[in-house]
Amino acid sequence: MEQLLAARTGLPQRAGRLERMRRRWQHPWLMLAALLSIGVVALPLVYIAIRTAQAGLAEVGAELLRPRTLDLLLNTLALATGVTLLSIGIGLGVAWCVERTDLPLRRFWRVAASLPLVLPAFVSSYAWASIGATFQNLAGAILVLALASYPLVYLPVAAALRGTDPAFEDVSRSLGVGPWRTFSRALLPQLMPALGGGALLVLTHMLAEFGALAFLRVQTFTTAIFESYELHFDSSAAAALSIVLMLLCVPPAWLEMRLRAGRRVARVGRGSARTPRLVALRGARLLLVLALFLLLGLLSLGVPLGMLGYWLLTGSSAGGGFAELWLAVRGSITFAGSGALLTSVLAIPLVLLAVRQRGRLAQLAERLPYVVHGLPGVVVALALVFLSLRIVPALYQSLLVLLLAYAILYLPLAQSSLRASIELLPPQIENIARSLGRRPHQVFFSVVLPNIAPGIGAALALMTLEMVRELTATLMLAPTGSITLATEVWSYTNDGEYAAAAPFAAMLVVLSILPVWVFTRRMLHHAR
């Protein structure tokens, strides 16, 4: 009797498991496509595991215990921490002044504060390094990179300030709490998701930064790995340093992914938010804020653009790079456009699986790209060099290998852009199409793809902008004889020909203007 009862009670559970399995495998093409994308993303992790096994734990341990490794670790941590903290201070301060004070020309400052995004970090560093050796040290690198990175904190915090409910601050002030304690206890907790997300983005960028640090003569794990690759071509030292860098990158990447997963800020009332009461700036306070804003604009935009203009017009090597400028533009756009297209193709099944399915594979598809995203381009490129030479030598220095590197580095950007569009597409539409006799691939091309086209367009635009500015993977993997704007800036600057590098750096800035302008226009529209 007990066995019969157990059998009967187990039937619903077994039926539920079978139903979940049936739903999970009703799209085998989606599972296979997602597995292919996961395999591509996992290549750097496979490389690190293989190289560690080949070198042996003893050799890897000896490499990690060298005094130079400790120096690299301290430099990397000091740089990442310093730039992140300074970016938080600048970004939070600028956002509060723009959104919560009656600062004159607020709309102008709202746009101007985001303009450093137009300058790639290695272009800003090239400009500062060309002044002389004054800024070619750790302190100079922290200052220069913070000036280039603070918009990554400013923009989300400014958006959060526009969306927070001022009722919390009103209650705090009505209880006699001063302005500083009100800010720290009532307002700052509401800003923490945006502030933390921006700070983690800066931190992961700094752990992966190469070009800017090479120009500023600062040694970190990324520069050491690149030098080891150039000197010894895939040495065990590079593999050992890659392990440490991966361990440093995984926690920030995981935290960034968790913050992206969903952010909620409580509101007291319903409907639209009340306009907060602006803090009045008068007399000395107004002059001080305006002076600080002007100083920030001078350092973040004035000096880099001024030095860029100087090298365009003067210098013994001026005009040396104009003959190859359009070849570099064509190479940059070709590589970036192809890479963005491939990355979107790989991202679509990952996002579809994460949205439509449940289970460990879906979780892996959603999370693994964000974890690997924390690895710098030098490690990803090193992995693809190693694997292509040993598995398919004919692919070494082919365009496909470079595009795979772009896909591994920027897949999370595509996922973020595509997810919103795919979540808005009801699965019932696909079920109806299948019930009418359409095959899975027909449903995808006739129903899914047209509906997620806006997300694909946004993903392509965002990734093309980022890939045009990518340096490290392009240096290591670009086909022989091909050039891009980023690699030409690197090549000429490495030889001390700052004027010859200027046209390529200026063109990179020009290509970045339109996306930043569109973004700031959208920000102003939502700020009204």
PDB file of all heavy atoms in Angstrom, residues 194-214:
ATOM      1  N   ALA A 194      23.521  52.544  -9.072  1.00  0.00           N
ATOM      2  CA  ALA A 194      24.126  53.226 -10.212  1.00  0.00           C
ATOM      3  C   ALA A 194      25.594  53.528  -9.951  1.00  0.00           C
ATOM      4  O   ALA A 194      26.451  53.343 -10.828  1.00  0.00           O
ATOM      5  CB  ALA A 194      23.369  54.522 -10.508  1.00  0.00           C
ATOM      6  N   LEU A 195      25.894  53.992  -8.741  1.00  0.00           N
ATOM      7  CA  LEU A 195      27.277  54.318  -8.393  1.00  0.00           C
ATOM      8  C   LEU A 195      28.147  53.072  -8.418  1.00  0.00           C
ATOM      9  O   LEU A 195      29.270  53.079  -8.946  1.00  0.00           O
ATOM     10  CB  LEU A 195      27.315  54.978  -7.010  1.00  0.00           C
ATOM     11  CG  LEU A 195      28.670  55.514  -6.531  1.00  0.00           C
ATOM     12  CD1 LEU A 195      29.167  56.605  -7.448  1.00  0.00           C
ATOM     13  CD2 LEU A 195      28.556  56.034  -5.109  1.00  0.00           C
ATOM     14  N   GLY A 196      27.632  51.977  -7.843  1.00  0.00           N
ATOM     15  CA  GLY A 196      28.397  50.734  -7.833  1.00  0.00           C
ATOM     16  C   GLY A 196      28.596  50.177  -9.223  1.00  0.00           C
ATOM     17  O   GLY A 196      29.685  49.687  -9.560  1.00  0.00           O
ATOM     18  N   GLY A 197      27.563  50.253 -10.064  1.00  0.00           N
ATOM     19  CA  GLY A 197      27.699  49.767 -11.430  1.00  0.00           C
ATOM     20  C   GLY A 197      28.745  50.548 -12.210  1.00  0.00           C
ATOM     21  O   GLY A 197      29.584  49.970 -12.911  1.00  0.00           O
ATOM     22  N   GLY A 198      28.722  51.875 -12.094  1.00  0.00           N
ATOM     23  CA  GLY A 198      29.718  52.686 -12.779  1.00  0.00           C
ATOM     24  C   GLY A 198      31.131  52.441 -12.262  1.00  0.00           C
ATOM     25  O   GLY A 198      32.082  52.363 -13.042  1.00  0.00           O
ATOM     26  N   ALA A 199      31.266  52.317 -10.945  1.00  0.00           N
ATOM     27  CA  ALA A 199      32.583  52.082 -10.352  1.00  0.00           C
ATOM     28  C   ALA A 199      33.151  50.735 -10.782  1.00  0.00           C
ATOM     29  O   ALA A 199      34.351  50.626 -11.094  1.00  0.00           O
ATOM     30  CB  ALA A 199      32.478  52.154  -8.830  1.00  0.00           C
ATOM     31  N   LEU A 200      32.316  49.705 -10.807  1.00  0.00           N
ATOM     32  CA  LEU A 200      32.786  48.391 -11.233  1.00  0.00           C
ATOM     33  C   LEU A 200      33.179  48.397 -12.709  1.00  0.00           C
ATOM     34  O   LEU A 200      34.127  47.709 -13.110  1.00  0.00           O
ATOM     35  CB  LEU A 200      31.708  47.341 -10.973  1.00  0.00           C
ATOM     36  CG  LEU A 200      31.542  46.922  -9.515  1.00  0.00           C
ATOM     37  CD1 LEU A 200      30.317  46.041  -9.352  1.00  0.00           C
ATOM     38  CD2 LEU A 200      32.783  46.184  -9.027  1.00  0.00           C
ATOM     39  N   LEU A 201      32.466  49.176 -13.517  1.00  0.00           N
ATOM     40  CA  LEU A 201      32.822  49.289 -14.926  1.00  0.00           C
ATOM     41  C   LEU A 201      34.199  49.933 -15.079  1.00  0.00           C
ATOM     42  O   LEU A 201      35.031  49.477 -15.877  1.00  0.00           O
ATOM     43  CB  LEU A 201      31.762  50.116 -15.651  1.00  0.00           C
ATOM     44  CG  LEU A 201      31.727  50.015 -17.174  1.00  0.00           C
ATOM     45  CD1 LEU A 201      31.539  48.587 -17.625  1.00  0.00           C
ATOM     46  CD2 LEU A 201      30.618  50.900 -17.730  1.00  0.00           C
ATOM     47  N   VAL A 202      34.462  50.982 -14.304  1.00  0.00           N
ATOM     48  CA  VAL A 202      35.785  51.616 -14.335  1.00  0.00           C
ATOM     49  C   VAL A 202      36.851  50.632 -13.866  1.00  0.00           C
ATOM     50  O   VAL A 202      37.931  50.518 -14.472  1.00  0.00           O
ATOM     51  CB  VAL A 202      35.794  52.879 -13.453  1.00  0.00           C
ATOM     52  CG1 VAL A 202      37.209  53.450 -13.342  1.00  0.00           C
ATOM     53  CG2 VAL A 202      34.850  53.933 -14.019  1.00  0.00           C
ATOM     54  N   LEU A 203      36.560  49.899 -12.784  1.00  0.00           N
ATOM     55  CA  LEU A 203      37.538  48.962 -12.231  1.00  0.00           C
ATOM     56  C   LEU A 203      37.904  47.883 -13.240  1.00  0.00           C
ATOM     57  O   LEU A 203      39.095  47.578 -13.439  1.00  0.00           O
ATOM     58  CB  LEU A 203      36.972  48.335 -10.958  1.00  0.00           C
ATOM     59  CG  LEU A 203      37.881  47.351 -10.203  1.00  0.00           C
ATOM     60  CD1 LEU A 203      39.138  48.043  -9.721  1.00  0.00           C
ATOM     61  CD2 LEU A 203      37.128  46.714  -9.044  1.00  0.00           C
ATOM     62  N   THR A 204      36.919  47.289 -13.888  1.00  0.00           N
ATOM     63  CA  THR A 204      37.216  46.244 -14.868  1.00  0.00           C
ATOM     64  C   THR A 204      37.965  46.809 -16.071  1.00  0.00           C
ATOM     65  O   THR A 204      38.843  46.134 -16.628  1.00  0.00           O
ATOM     66  CB  THR A 204      35.921  45.565 -15.345  1.00  0.00           C
ATOM     67  OG1 THR A 204      34.997  46.548 -15.821  1.00  0.00           O
ATOM     68  CG2 THR A 204      35.261  44.787 -14.218  1.00  0.00           C
ATOM     69  N   HIS A 205      37.662  48.038 -16.461  1.00  0.00           N
ATOM     70  CA  HIS A 205      38.407  48.664 -17.550  1.00  0.00           C
ATOM     71  C   HIS A 205      39.872  48.850 -17.173  1.00  0.00           C
ATOM     72  O   HIS A 205      40.765  48.648 -18.002  1.00  0.00           O
ATOM     73  CB  HIS A 205      37.787  50.020 -17.900  1.00  0.00           C
ATOM     74  CG  HIS A 205      36.665  49.937 -18.889  1.00  0.00           C
ATOM     75  ND1 HIS A 205      35.481  49.297 -18.605  1.00  0.00           N
ATOM     76  CD2 HIS A 205      36.525  50.398 -20.161  1.00  0.00           C
ATOM     77  CE1 HIS A 205      34.672  49.376 -19.654  1.00  0.00           C
ATOM     78  NE2 HIS A 205      35.281  50.044 -20.602  1.00  0.00           N
ATOM     79  N   MET A 206      40.126  49.235 -15.940  1.00  0.00           N
ATOM     80  CA  MET A 206      41.499  49.486 -15.521  1.00  0.00           C
ATOM     81  C   MET A 206      42.313  48.189 -15.405  1.00  0.00           C
ATOM     82  O   MET A 206      43.505  48.162 -15.709  1.00  0.00           O
ATOM     83  CB  MET A 206      41.525  50.222 -14.175  1.00  0.00           C
ATOM     84  CG  MET A 206      41.027  51.646 -14.249  1.00  0.00           C
ATOM     85  SD  MET A 206      41.875  52.625 -15.535  1.00  0.00           S
ATOM     86  CE  MET A 206      40.610  52.706 -16.808  1.00  0.00           C
ATOM     87  N   LEU A 207      41.682  47.118 -14.956  1.00  0.00           N
ATOM     88  CA  LEU A 207      42.380  45.840 -14.893  1.00  0.00           C
ATOM     89  C   LEU A 207      42.750  45.340 -16.283  1.00  0.00           C
ATOM     90  O   LEU A 207      43.734  44.615 -16.447  1.00  0.00           O
ATOM     91  CB  LEU A 207      41.514  44.801 -14.171  1.00  0.00           C
ATOM     92  CG  LEU A 207      41.303  45.013 -12.674  1.00  0.00           C
ATOM     93  CD1 LEU A 207      40.321  44.000 -12.121  1.00  0.00           C
ATOM     94  CD2 LEU A 207      42.622  44.935 -11.913  1.00  0.00           C
ATOM     95  N   ALA A 208      41.970  45.718 -17.282  1.00  0.00           N
ATOM     96  CA  ALA A 208      42.200  45.244 -18.643  1.00  0.00           C
ATOM     97  C   ALA A 208      42.937  46.259 -19.521  1.00  0.00           C
ATOM     98  O   ALA A 208      43.277  45.949 -20.661  1.00  0.00           O
ATOM     99  CB  ALA A 208      40.863  44.897 -19.304  1.00  0.00           C
ATOM    100  N   GLU A 209      43.223  47.458 -19.024  1.00  0.00           N
ATOM    101  CA  GLU A 209      43.800  48.530 -19.837  1.00  0.00           C
ATOM    102  C   GLU A 209      45.233  48.190 -20.254  1.00  0.00           C
ATOM    103  O   GLU A 209      46.028  47.681 -19.478  1.00  0.00           O
ATOM    104  CB  GLU A 209      43.783  49.838 -19.063  1.00  0.00           C
ATOM    105  CG  GLU A 209      44.273  51.038 -19.856  1.00  0.00           C
ATOM    106  CD  GLU A 209      43.456  51.271 -21.114  1.00  0.00           C
ATOM    107  OE1 GLU A 209      42.229  51.463 -21.015  1.00  0.00           O
ATOM    108  OE2 GLU A 209      44.056  51.249 -22.206  1.00  0.00           O
ATOM    109  N   PHE A 210      45.545  48.486 -21.507  1.00  0.00           N
ATOM    110  CA  PHE A 210      46.913  48.259 -21.992  1.00  0.00           C
ATOM    111  C   PHE A 210      47.489  49.493 -22.686  1.00  0.00           C
ATOM    112  O   PHE A 210      48.521  50.011 -22.291  1.00  0.00           O
ATOM    113  CB  PHE A 210      46.953  47.066 -22.953  1.00  0.00           C
ATOM    114  CG  PHE A 210      48.225  47.000 -23.751  1.00  0.00           C
ATOM    115  CD1 PHE A 210      49.409  46.619 -23.145  1.00  0.00           C
ATOM    116  CD2 PHE A 210      48.237  47.344 -25.101  1.00  0.00           C
ATOM    117  CE1 PHE A 210      50.597  46.578 -23.873  1.00  0.00           C
ATOM    118  CE2 PHE A 210      49.416  47.303 -25.833  1.00  0.00           C
ATOM    119  CZ  PHE A 210      50.596  46.915 -25.217  1.00  0.00           C
ATOM    120  N   GLY A 211      46.812  49.957 -23.749  1.00  0.00           N
ATOM    121  CA  GLY A 211      47.397  51.009 -24.574  1.00  0.00           C
ATOM    122  C   GLY A 211      47.745  52.264 -23.803  1.00  0.00           C
ATOM    123  O   GLY A 211      48.853  52.806 -23.943  1.00  0.00           O
ATOM    124  N   ALA A 212      46.830  52.746 -22.981  1.00  0.00           N
ATOM    125  CA  ALA A 212      47.072  53.968 -22.215  1.00  0.00           C
ATOM    126  C   ALA A 212      48.266  53.795 -21.290  1.00  0.00           C
ATOM    127  O   ALA A 212      49.093  54.707 -21.140  1.00  0.00           O
ATOM    128  CB  ALA A 212      45.834  54.345 -21.412  1.00  0.00           C
ATOM    129  N   LEU A 213      48.381  52.633 -20.654  1.00  0.00           N
ATOM    130  CA  LEU A 213      49.482  52.399 -19.710  1.00  0.00           C
ATOM    131  C   LEU A 213      50.810  52.257 -20.439  1.00  0.00           C
ATOM    132  O   LEU A 213      51.853  52.652 -19.911  1.00  0.00           O
ATOM    133  CB  LEU A 213      49.193  51.147 -18.885  1.00  0.00           C
ATOM    134  CG  LEU A 213      47.905  51.209 -18.059  1.00  0.00           C
ATOM    135  CD1 LEU A 213      47.679  49.897 -17.333  1.00  0.00           C
ATOM    136  CD2 LEU A 213      47.973  52.356 -17.058  1.00  0.00           C
ATOM    137  N   ALA A 214      50.791  51.690 -21.640  1.00  0.00           N
ATOM    138  CA  ALA A 214      52.022  51.602 -22.417  1.00  0.00           C
ATOM    139  C   ALA A 214      52.525  52.988 -22.796  1.00  0.00           C
ATOM    140  O   ALA A 214      53.737  53.262 -22.748  1.00  0.00           O
ATOM    141  CB  ALA A 214      51.784  50.760 -23.665  1.00  0.00           C
TER     142      ALA A 214
END
